[in-house]
Amino acid sequence: MVHGPALPSDFWGTVAEHVTEKVEPVLMQGQRARTPVIAYLRDLEALARRECDSRQVIQIIASGRRILGDHVEVGAKDGPFSRT
């Protein structure tokens, strides 16, 4: 889970760069290297679904997970942004 102090107020505006920084280094590596990044992105997506009102942010995070091979659905099936 994403721990620590609250995210800076401008974090969601830089999420595309943040996700890219997490995904690119493990993109050409095996599942063992990808697993912790996928778990982090799942937690980040769950946090975004609770705290961020931007569908685009959630789509960026979900895309990063899918690029790494993760197809697990995060969030409630009938909640906000459930069709992202």
Side-chain angles (χ1 to χ4, degrees):
M1 180 161 209
V2 180
H3 294 288
L7 294 171
S9 60
D10 63 342
F11 175 78
W12 299 118
T14 62
V15 78
E17 294 85 3
H18 181 73
V19 169
T20 299
E21 289 172 1
K22 295 289 187 180
V23 170
E24 280 186 348
V26 298
L27 191 55
M28 302 305 288
Q29 296 183 27
Q31 191 61 37
R32 187 173 185 180
R34 292 177 176 203
T35 297
V37 176
I38 290 169
Y40 172 81
L41 292 175
R42 285 180 187 168
D43 290 343
L44 185 61
E45 184 175 337
L47 182 64
R49 287 176 182 275
R50 289 190 309 271
E51 295 186 5
C52 180
D53 60 356
S54 171
R55 179 181 298 270
Q56 184 179 11
V57 164
I58 294 165
Q59 289 174 333
I60 289 167
I61 299 167
S63 292
R65 292 189 309 105
R66 283 192 297 276
I67 288 169
L68 295 178
D70 183 34
H71 300 285
V72 171
E73 193 170 323
V74 173
K77 296 189 186 319
D78 60 349
F81 309 121
S82 60
R83 296 186 185 141
T84 56

